[in-house]
Amino acid sequence: MFKILILFTNIIVLSFFSFITKLKFSFHKLRASIIFVTPLVLIFVLLIFYIKNYDYLDNDIKRYMSFYSQINDFDSYIYYSLRDLDFIFFGLMYIFKNIGFSSLFFVNFILLLSVMILFKGLYNLFIDKSNYYLCLLLFFSSSSFYFLYGNVIRQGLAASILIFLISSNRKNKLLKFSMPFIHKASMPYFLTSFIPLKKFFLLIFLIISVITSFYSLQIFTQLLYLSNLSSLDFYLNSFTRNSSNNSSLKLIILFLNLVYFILFFKKVEMNNKQLNLFKSYFIFSCLTICVYQIDGVFSRLNYFCTFLSFPLHVAYMSLNRHIVYKRIVFLTLFFFTIFYSVYVFNHPSILFNLDIK
């Protein structure tokens, strides 16, 4: 229960700092508070996720540690990289293994790197730092946050890099190149430049996505027949997961969020980072809806949608001048996220990370 107390402490600290940054602080005092609280919250996060032994679990981290033990030479690195085309992630494994670090050290390094990149990306997104704390608060109340960093760490790292790329004013060509080779589900980001920023066309794209979802299984089955790709065969015929029981609920939440973001889209009032965030969420959401029938692909893309939705919700709230409306929307979103997270907080990796089981 110690980690549960840390979790609630994080929520209280973030709520408090989100409030005080709205007060009339001098710049130096505000900067000092940010310098103090961000490392504090970061330490809390690492305490929540830090585990000495993953042998208890049958999850992705245990699988990565198994891969780590088997990457003994360059040939084995090539073998595992070609399976998923994730050359960068397994390349880091290969380097750390040859330097002499343990698999547990590698997992904790990826966790630290992911969280630091996420914090920096969210910090860059918001001029008003109270919104930065509100956004972190939404992440901390989400089961997706604990699942990505406590289980599917490869996708967690890619999701953090994605948010950082959206928030950065620089081109960051190296990060853009590396992201799809950490987790290929991040590739829709490269389609954002093709998104038309007019509500009519956005709604047309959404309708096309819904229609496509009814035929995606047949399309991918035909593609498997023509290409005989083992990864396609895995997702279509072999891959099953317990979370598929919640897929219809996830689809409804995703669809309602997307409709909300389209209907209240304000291109003129949004800055370049917010527009980039919107376009990224839109393309990920449309593609996620398209592949609804293929659970393995749907679930992976949906985690990116969840991560992008939190800062986008906060960005939309920042554009509204009515303080009462903003409070109602945020509290509704916050409590809904908590209730939904409790509903899906039954994954072994989450229970184990939080010392619940």
Side-chain angles (χ1 to χ4, degrees), residues 18-167:
S18 179
F19 169 73
I20 66 170
T21 48
K22 283 292 187 184
L23 302 179
K24 293 182 179 180
F25 273 89
S26 67
F27 175 75
H28 293 293
K29 289 183 178 179
L30 176 60
R31 185 174 61 179
S33 70
I34 292 172
I35 292 173
F36 168 75
V37 74
T38 300
L40 178 65
V41 174
L42 178 61
I43 292 171
F44 282 163
V45 172
L46 298 178
L47 284 174
I48 290 173
F49 285 109
Y50 180 74
I51 294 175
K52 295 181 180 179
N53 189 355
Y54 284 91
D55 290 339
Y56 177 85
L57 292 176
D58 183 19
N59 67 354
D60 281 18
I61 290 184
K62 185 177 179 180
R63 186 165 61 91
Y64 291 139
M65 294 176 78
S66 175
F67 291 162
Y68 193 93
S69 65
Q70 297 175 52
I71 296 182
N72 298 314
D73 51 39
F74 189 74
D75 290 336
S76 57
Y77 156 67
I78 294 296
Y79 170 76
Y80 284 111
S81 298
L82 288 176
R83 294 176 60 180
D84 292 316
L85 300 180
D86 300 323
F87 295 96
I88 304 296
F89 184 82
F90 288 106
L92 288 173
M93 266 193 188
Y94 179 71
I95 293 171
F96 273 67
K97 179 71 178 289
N98 279 275
I99 292 176
F101 290 114
S102 68
S103 58
L104 188 59
F105 180 90
F106 172 77
V107 168
N108 288 321
F109 171 80
I110 294 296
L111 167 62
L112 175 63
L113 184 64
S114 300
V115 175
M116 289 182 67
I117 293 174
L118 174 68
F119 275 40
K120 180 60 177 175
L122 294 177
Y123 184 85
N124 292 341
L125 272 175
F126 302 105
I127 298 175
D128 184 346
K129 298 312 173 189
S130 66
N131 291 326
Y132 163 65
Y133 291 121
L134 286 177
C135 194
L136 281 179
L137 191 55
L138 289 177
F139 275 96
F140 271 64
S141 63
S142 169
S143 57
S144 297
F145 178 78
Y146 299 97
F147 188 75
L148 282 182
Y149 295 134
N151 187 351
V152 286
I153 56 173
R154 185 164 51 98
Q155 187 173 353
L157 179 57
S160 296
I161 293 174
L162 172 63
I163 289 178
F164 180 81
L165 288 174
I166 292 170
S167 72

Side-chain angles (χ1 to χ4, degrees), residues 126-227:
F126 302 105
I127 298 175
D128 184 346
K129 298 312 173 189
S130 66
N131 291 326
Y132 163 65
Y133 291 121
L134 286 177
C135 194
L136 281 179
L137 191 55
L138 289 177
F139 275 96
F140 271 64
S141 63
S142 169
S143 57
S144 297
F145 178 78
Y146 299 97
F147 188 75
L148 282 182
Y149 295 134
N151 187 351
V152 286
I153 56 173
R154 185 164 51 98
Q155 187 173 353
L157 179 57
S160 296
I161 293 174
L162 172 63
I163 289 178
F164 180 81
L165 288 174
I166 292 170
S167 72
S168 178
N169 293 320
R170 301 178 182 179
K171 293 184 178 180
N172 291 305
K173 292 182 179 180
L174 182 60
L175 278 179
K176 283 185 179 179
F177 173 79
S178 65
M179 184 174 65
F181 294 108
I182 293 173
H183 199 285
K184 56 184 174 293
S186 61
M187 291 182 68
Y189 172 73
F190 296 94
L191 301 175
T192 53
S193 58
F194 299 102
I195 302 300
L197 294 178
K198 291 186 177 181
K199 289 185 181 180
F200 173 77
F201 293 111
L202 294 172
L203 289 170
I204 293 297
F205 270 77
L206 175 57
I207 293 171
I208 293 173
S209 299
V210 172
I211 295 172
T212 304
S213 68
F214 292 101
Y215 302 98
S216 60
L217 192 59
Q218 293 90 325
I219 294 171
F220 277 86
T221 301
Q222 186 63 29
L223 185 60
L224 173 62
Y225 174 77
L226 295 174
S227 63

